[in-house]
């Protein structure tokens, strides 16, 4: 099937051509027909998903209920559609052991009793080659505990993924670049500080092995120069015909129990772009310099952004004397990893801004926004500025039975009021967030009114003004609460980071690139910090976000990107280069 065929067909033929894409639900194609012509297969997928988003809840439930149970009675009786039979067979669900079969029957029954619709999972998964039966059962068990509204939305997203794979089959399309990215991510994840989960912290043997693997792949891709610099950044240069260079990349270190795509996706995307340019024997009018930043997450040492700080010349000499949990200084760790560990060497990493056009970074969103909108790509408007504090409210620990309600000085109740205020105040302004993530009554007892309550505060916004306004209001409220309740408090600032708004020109280039793929332009702020936030001090920057699956979860082994979305991010990067 081709896009031209679909675009030119009568409405009835259009529906017939898409038969089987959405299980027993021709109404989706019927309503999408009016949105033709579609510029790309990706545009068609987004349009079909939009019809479902805009449908009534009853229609959405009807779509979910049109699907068979996994390894259910219909599957056993051979009563499924050809598409479903094929998918369940490929996932090995027709070859369950008796125990697995019994387990799945029990899960099906429990799930249906809780939600009133069948469990939906795109069994071919984000890679397209299929989950194992163990993975399917684990996902089933996890989702059985979800909130009903969230679970209904997740079922619909799984249905869109099923439709995506069916459309790829109909069109004879294979997202080969996305598949390569996915396989690289899986191969790199084999290098870990621990055996059970992916953990790759700075200057460990796993970290060095990742750097070596990235360098080997960069050479295979056709980069002209590949090296590891004095802070362990992996740097690949693909020379252009002109003098200037575009800088790009992201980090290859991870948090503990990490996902595979955080950071690494932003290294792989331009690597694959270079591989394609090299295969075609093409040179750009500018060089492309891809940096795999060695450290961004701040896991092993108190200082973070070690890699990008060195690039902008803000690496602090005192950091070399910081120690990790085992008492090893950063200097010693660097030297054990084969790096010089001297400021003299680190200073050579600093870039001369006049040689560069700017900095761009592709990154997994690490949040639920794109996933909930059924959009594969988003354009970042600003990396949030933040302020963080640790604090304590001090009241009076007294007897829970004998102290009347009007005569208490309850420290925890004071913090509770502050939490609710922070939540309401942040929610009142778009793109502003406030969180109390740590909360503790030191040596509290069930029959004692809390005399002390420790807490943390994390305030973020897209502009420094919005962040500072939130900050001022929250601190004024803290004052007022303590005054009224007869409490006192301490508050120590632990971090202040300025917002990094995207450069308007570079942001519009990302927007043009995404539009050329036939996709809607969705702009969103980045709530998380990124290497681009540091490079912002040196060069104009803008970021592209890629949808994360499983509700956008990140810093977690459940972090996920489909090969189709990965492919789109690579294609967007190619279009961005074309606009220069
Ligand atoms: Zn990251």
């Amino acid at each position: 099937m081709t896009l031209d065929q679909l675009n030119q067909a009568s409405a009835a033929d259009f529906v017939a051509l898409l038969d089987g894409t959405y299980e027993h639900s021709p109404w989706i194609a019927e309503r999408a027909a009016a949105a033709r012509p579609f510029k790309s297969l990706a545009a068609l997928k987004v349009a079909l998903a939009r019809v479902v988003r805009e449908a009534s809840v009853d229609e959405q439930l009807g779509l979910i209920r049109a699907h068979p149970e996994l390894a259910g009675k219909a599957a056993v009786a051979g009563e499924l559609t050809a598409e479903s039979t094929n998918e369940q067979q490929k996932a090995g669900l027709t070859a369950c052991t008796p125990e697995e079969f019994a387990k799945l029957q029990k899960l099906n029954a429990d799930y249906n009793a809780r939600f009133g619709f069948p469990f939906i999972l795109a069994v071919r998964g984000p890679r397209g080659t299929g989950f194992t039966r163990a993975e399917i059962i684990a996902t089933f068990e996890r989702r059985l505990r979800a909130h009903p509204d969230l679970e209904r939305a997740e079922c619909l997203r799984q249905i869109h993924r099923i439709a995506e794979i069916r459309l790829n089959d109909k069109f004879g399309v294979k997202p080969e670049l996305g598949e390569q990215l996915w396989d690289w991510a899986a191969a790199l994840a084999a290098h870990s500080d621990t055996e059970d989960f992916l953990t790759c912290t700075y200057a460990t043997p796993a970290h060095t092995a990742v750097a070596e693997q990235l360098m080997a792949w960069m050479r295979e891709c056709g980069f002209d120069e590949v090296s590891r610099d004095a802070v362990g950044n992996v740097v690949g240069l693909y020379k252009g015909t002109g003098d200037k260079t575009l800088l790009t990349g992201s980090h290859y270190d991870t948090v503990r129990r990490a996902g595979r795509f955080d950071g690494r996706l932003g290294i792989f995307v331009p690597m694959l772009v270079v591989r394609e340019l090299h295969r075609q024997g093409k040179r750009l009018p500018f060089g492309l310099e891809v940096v795999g930043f060695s450290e961004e997450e701040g896991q092993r040492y108190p200082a973070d952004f070690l890699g990008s700080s060195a690039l902008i010349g803000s690496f602090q000499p005192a950091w070399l004397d910081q120690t990790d949990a085992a008492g090893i200084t950063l200097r010693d760790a660097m030297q054990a990893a084969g790096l010089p560990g001297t400021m003299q060497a680190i200073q050579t990493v600093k870039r001369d801004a006049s040689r560069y056009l700017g900095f761009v970074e592709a990154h997994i969103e690490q949040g639920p926004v794109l996933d909930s909108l059924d959009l594969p790509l988003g354009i970042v408007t600003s990396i949030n500025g933040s302020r963080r504090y640790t604090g304590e409210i001090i009241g009076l620990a007294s007897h829970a039975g004998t102290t009347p309600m009007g005569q208490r000085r309850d420290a925890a109740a004071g913090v509770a009021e502050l939490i609710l205020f922070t939540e309401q105040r942040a929610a009142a302004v778009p793109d502003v967030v406030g969180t109390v993530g740590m909360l503790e009554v030191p040596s509290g007892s069930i029959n004692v009114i809390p005399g002390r309550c420790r807490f943390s505060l994390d305030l973020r916004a897209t502009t420094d003004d919005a962040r500072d306004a939130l900050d001022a209001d929250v601190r004024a409220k803290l004052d007022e609460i303590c005054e009224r309740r007869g409490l006192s408090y301490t508050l120590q600032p632990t971090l202040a980071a300025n917002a990094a708004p995207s450069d308007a020109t570079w942001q519009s280039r990302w927007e043009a690139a995404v539009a050329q793929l036939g996709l809607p332009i969705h702009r969103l702020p980045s709530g998380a910090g990124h290497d681009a936030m540091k490079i912002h001090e040196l060069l104009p920057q803008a970021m592209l976000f890629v949808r994360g699956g499983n509700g956008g979860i990140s810093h977690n082994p459940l972090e996920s990107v489909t090969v189709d979305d990965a492919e789109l991010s690579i294609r967007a990067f190619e279009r961005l280069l074309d606009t220069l």
Side-chain angles (χ1 to χ4, degrees), residues 250-251 253 261-264 296-297 361 363-364 366 528-531 554-555:
S250 193
H251 60 99
D253 71 318
F261 298 97
D262 176 5
R264 293 165 178 197
E296 187 258 14
E297 301 281 10
E361 179 175 359
H363 203 284
I364 182 171
Q366 302 186 278
H530 295 292
D531 293 297
S554 185
H555 285 184

Side-chain angles (χ1 to χ4, degrees), residues 315-530:
F315 192 103
Q316 301 300 308
W319 293 349
L320 289 172
D321 296 314
Q322 289 186 346
T323 53
D324 68 3
I328 300 166
T329 64
L330 177 56
R331 181 183 296 103
D332 288 347
M334 286 174 128
Q335 287 171 352
L339 302 169
T342 66
M343 277 314 294
Q344 197 187 6
I346 292 165
Q347 275 154 3
T348 64
V349 173
K350 183 176 190 301
R351 297 299 196 271
D352 170 6
S354 69
R355 288 180 44 229
Y356 292 93
L357 295 167
F359 179 78
V360 291
E361 179 175 359
H363 203 284
I364 182 171
E365 184 205 327
Q366 302 186 278
V369 176
L370 293 174
D371 199 38
S372 67
L373 292 171
D374 301 315
L375 293 176
L377 301 176
I379 294 109
V380 176
T381 52
S382 178
I383 303 169
N384 281 355
S386 56
R387 285 193 191 281
R388 284 186 189 162
Y389 300 92
T390 54
E392 183 172 29
I393 288 187
I394 301 110
L396 185 67
S398 57
H399 198 291
T402 60
T403 317
M405 294 311 287
Q407 289 170 253
R408 295 175 173 223
R409 291 197 279 144
D410 184 332
V415 178
E417 205 182 327
L418 184 72
I419 294 173
L420 290 176
F421 174 80
T422 303
E423 183 181 49
Q424 285 157 12
R425 170 60 179 77
V429 181
D431 300 332
V432 164
V433 289
T435 307
V436 173
M438 284 150 55
L439 185 62
E440 186 201 358
V441 176
S443 35
S445 300
I446 195 163
N447 57 355
V448 178
I449 296 162
R452 293 160 63 202
C453 185
R454 293 186 190 138
F455 62 96
S456 64
L457 251 184
D458 178 306
L459 308 172
R460 308 190 195 202
T462 44
T463 65
D464 292 343
D465 286 349
R467 173 202 59 180
D468 293 344
L470 171 68
D471 179 57
D473 284 359
V474 168
R475 283 189 294 125
K477 187 69 182 180
L478 176 60
D479 246 7
E480 187 265 312
I481 291 167
C482 290
E483 177 71 33
R484 172 164 40 82
R485 288 175 172 268
L487 306 165
S488 62
Y489 70 88
T490 62
L491 194 66
Q492 289 88 33
T494 57
L495 175 128
N498 288 342
S502 299
D503 177 76
T505 306
W506 281 101
Q507 185 186 323
S508 68
R509 287 177 180 138
W510 275 128
E511 291 172 7
V514 168
Q516 278 184 37
L517 297 175
L519 294 169
I521 292 168
H522 183 77
R523 303 176 184 93
L524 71 170
S526 170
H530 295 292

Side-chain angles (χ1 to χ4, degrees), residues 74-342:
V76 175
E79 290 165 357
L80 302 187
T81 61
E83 289 86 356
S84 285
T85 305
N86 179 26
E87 285 152 5
Q88 297 213 13
Q89 235 162 26
K90 274 196 175 153
L93 287 171
T94 45
C96 286
T97 63
E99 294 76 29
E100 286 168 335
F101 187 74
K103 176 112 205 165
L104 281 164
Q105 297 317 303
K106 170 91 168 70
L107 285 168
N108 274 324
D110 291 351
Y111 187 95
N112 233 311
R114 174 154 157 74
F115 298 111
F117 48 78
F119 172 71
I120 312 286
L121 178 67
V123 289
R124 280 171 66 183
R127 175 63 176 79
T129 44
F131 288 119
T132 62
R133 286 201 295 278
E135 286 171 325
I136 290 171
I137 289 171
T139 306
F140 213 150
E141 287 172 335
R142 174 170 56 82
R143 282 176 43 194
L144 194 51
R145 299 187 296 267
H147 184 280
D149 290 345
L150 297 181
E151 187 52 21
R152 175 163 49 88
E154 181 60 23
C155 282
L156 294 174
R157 288 195 290 268
Q158 293 295 327
I159 288 170
H160 296 318
R161 176 64 186 150
I162 293 168
E164 171 158 69
I165 293 171
R166 290 177 179 178
L167 281 170
N168 289 352
D169 290 347
K170 270 184 196 282
F171 276 76
V173 165
K174 246 173 86 71
E176 284 175 352
L177 298 180
E179 289 174 354
Q180 179 61 72
L181 185 153
W182 210 96
D183 293 344
W184 275 345
L188 270 200
H191 302 289
S192 177
D193 299 345
T194 57
E195 255 177 38
D196 43 357
F197 291 103
L198 169 58
T199 300
C200 182
T201 60
Y202 187 65
T204 61
H207 187 262
T208 303
V210 166
E212 281 164 4
Q213 182 61 78
L214 283 172
M215 287 194 284
W217 285 336
M218 281 184 175
R219 288 190 196 99
E220 284 171 27
C221 286
F223 281 83
D224 300 298
E225 292 168 13
V226 177
S227 60
R228 188 169 71 133
D229 70 21
V231 281
N233 295 327
V234 171
V235 184
L237 176 67
Y238 188 66
K239 288 180 182 162
T241 55
D243 299 334
K244 294 269 188 157
T245 299
L246 175 62
L247 192 66
T248 184
S250 193
H251 60 99
Y252 68 84
D253 71 318
T254 74
V255 295
R256 297 170 207 280
R257 288 180 62 122
R260 295 171 173 182
F261 298 97
D262 176 5
R264 293 165 178 197
L265 175 134
I267 309 170
F268 297 147
V269 166
M271 280 170 63
L272 284 160
V273 169
V274 165
R275 193 185 78 176
E276 294 310 292
L277 287 169
H278 178 70
R279 281 184 174 174
Q280 295 156 23
K282 262 177 74 176
R283 290 285 167 177
L284 299 165
F286 48 88
L288 191 57
E289 186 175 322
V290 181
V291 182
F293 292 100
S294 57
E295 205 282 338
E296 187 258 14
E297 301 281 10
Q299 295 291 303
R300 186 171 173 187
Y301 290 95
D304 54 7
F305 293 93
L306 298 180
S308 43
S309 293
L311 250 77
I312 64 169
S314 70
F315 192 103
Q316 301 300 308
W319 293 349
L320 289 172
D321 296 314
Q322 289 186 346
T323 53
D324 68 3
I328 300 166
T329 64
L330 177 56
R331 181 183 296 103
D332 288 347
M334 286 174 128
Q335 287 171 352
L339 302 169
T342 66

